[in-house]
Amino acid sequence: MFIYITKRLLWVIPTILTVLLILFSLSYLLPGDPADIILGPRATPEMAEELNRRLGLDKPWYQSYLIYLQNIIRGDLGTSIFRDRSVLKVILNVLPYTVILTLTGMGLAVFNGISIGLLAANYNNSYLEKFLTLFSFITASTPTYIAGVLLIVIFSVNLNLIPSIGIGEGGFLSRLHHLIGPALALSVGWTGYIARLTRSSMLETLDQEFIQTEKSFGIPRSYILYKYALKKAIKPIIAVIGLGIGRLLGGAVFVEVIFNRPGLGRLIVNSVNERDLPMVRGGVLAAALLFVIANLIADISYAYFDPRIKQK
């Protein structure tokens, strides 16, 4: 297991280097002078020259890229153009909100999806199974921003059950109350997907010989379902959790904008609109790191449940 984890960690290095190369190259691929785009038509040549120097665009791209890597290794992501603050400090201020939202959304999606999938598999070919399958298709096809708007209209405007904006200014309960709507909106699509995946995997597992052997011994169906079948059927779900967290990070952009929550996604959107290049680079890099870490955790968890992965 240690060797497998080490190999997976080594793959993180070229992945991050590739992301950094693409991010940095975008500055040189933009049409026109990035300084003119950022500062606008009233910028003087001296202002444009100073900004190009700050962005590292006054040197050949390979020299600037090496300097950029050295700064990142030292923990220096640059200074925000419009906020005049360290990019790293700004990201660290908003990152916990996005991480909490994403993990809560994935937790809800996994819990609800597995529960729905287990019910559908346990009551296969029944009206309940048909209803749950239809519900899974509908939720899996619902975009995050549509789910967010519907939740605000139904539960905030009409029923007044959940807050529609903000993160809560009180204690833990207030913040939890403000988190319910965004987390539900973020989890809707993956709830349906995980439910369908769980149902298919459970039905396939229940038809295997070792399950039939357990049934022949007179072991209760519920015990077989949760003790033996679920442990084997859950492997495909673990494999997609890492990808799911990456997708939820992308969906968090819409959720944070719709519910007016601070977070990494909203920060990146605002920075793109402001043409704040250092902040865009730092925000996308942080999102890429979260995605890589999520996939790494999912791979390790999958190897834990399936020893064949470690052997390969």
Side-chain angles (χ1 to χ4, degrees):
M1 191 67 180
F2 176 77
I3 297 176
Y4 176 77
I5 295 175
T6 303
K7 290 181 179 179
R8 297 302 302 162
L9 286 173
L10 291 176
W11 272 107
V12 172
I13 299 175
T15 302
I16 297 301
L17 289 176
T18 303
V19 171
L20 289 174
L21 179 61
I22 295 173
L23 277 175
F24 193 82
S25 300
L26 289 176
S27 308
Y28 292 86
L29 296 177
L30 289 173
D33 188 353
D36 292 338
I37 297 174
I38 293 171
L39 296 176
R42 297 186 179 182
T44 63
E46 291 77 14
M47 294 171 60
E49 183 179 352
E50 173 63 20
L51 184 58
N52 281 327
R53 186 189 63 78
R54 288 178 58 186
L55 297 178
L57 301 178
D58 58 335
K59 300 180 179 65
W61 74 269
Y62 58 89
Q63 292 182 6
S64 300
Y65 179 62
L66 292 177
I67 295 173
Y68 183 59
L69 288 181
Q70 292 174 1
N71 291 336
I72 289 178
I73 293 174
R74 292 198 299 264
D76 181 12
L77 299 182
T79 303
S80 172
I81 296 173
F82 296 98
R83 296 169 179 82
D84 197 25
R85 294 179 58 195
S86 168
V87 170
L88 182 60
K89 290 183 179 179
V90 175
I91 290 175
L92 291 178
N93 284 338
V94 301
L95 188 60
Y97 299 110
T98 298
V99 172
I100 291 173
L101 174 61
T102 303
L103 292 180
T104 306
M106 177 53 72
L108 287 175
V110 170
F111 178 78
N112 295 331
I114 291 179
S115 301
I116 294 171
L118 283 175
L119 278 175
N122 194 33
Y123 295 95
N124 191 33
N125 295 323
S126 66
Y127 287 109
L128 177 61
E129 185 267 340
K130 291 180 173 58
F131 170 77
L132 293 176
T133 301
L134 177 62
F135 177 78
S136 300
F137 273 106
I138 294 174
T139 53
S141 305
T142 304
T144 302
Y145 58 90
I146 297 295
V149 172
L150 289 176
L151 284 172
I152 289 177
V153 171
I154 297 173
F155 294 100
S156 296
V157 177
N158 294 332
L159 300 179
N160 196 26
L161 293 177
I162 59 174
S164 59
I165 59 173
I167 59 171
E169 299 299 331
F172 173 76
L173 292 179
S174 175
R175 292 181 178 272
L176 182 62
H177 192 205
H178 282 76
L179 183 62
I180 294 174
L184 282 174
L186 196 60
S187 69
V188 165
W190 275 85
T191 295
Y193 179 76
I194 292 176
R196 292 167 56 192
L197 186 62
T198 303
R199 174 187 172 275
S200 301
S201 183
M202 283 295 296
L203 290 177
E204 181 181 350
T205 303
L206 290 173
D207 287 336
Q208 294 185 5
E209 292 184 1
F210 79 98
I211 295 294
Q212 303 302 324
T213 303
E214 300 292 342
K215 290 180 180 179
S216 66
F217 286 124
I219 299 176
R221 179 178 175 83
S222 59
Y223 188 83
I224 294 175
L225 194 69
Y226 294 102
K227 177 66 177 178
Y228 299 105
L230 181 59
K231 185 176 180 180
K232 183 175 180 59
I234 205 173
K235 293 177 184 177
I237 302 169
I238 295 173
V240 302
I241 285 179
L243 178 62
I245 292 179
R247 295 285 183 87
L248 290 184
L249 283 171
V253 175
F254 300 103
V255 172
E256 288 170 354
V257 172
I258 292 172
F259 286 89
N260 195 26
R261 289 178 57 89
L264 185 61
R266 187 180 173 194
L267 176 66
I268 293 174
V269 171
N270 292 338
S271 301
V272 170
N273 293 331
E274 297 167 349
R275 304 296 192 273
D276 194 342
L277 195 55
M279 189 60 70
V280 173
R281 288 176 180 171
V284 175
L285 175 60
L289 283 172
L290 290 177
F291 183 80
V292 169
I293 292 172
N295 277 276
L296 179 65
I297 295 174
D299 288 342
I300 294 173
S301 301
Y302 192 68
Y304 174 78
F305 281 95
D306 192 347
R308 295 174 298 177
I309 302 296
K310 291 181 289 187
Q311 294 174 2
K312 293 179 181 180

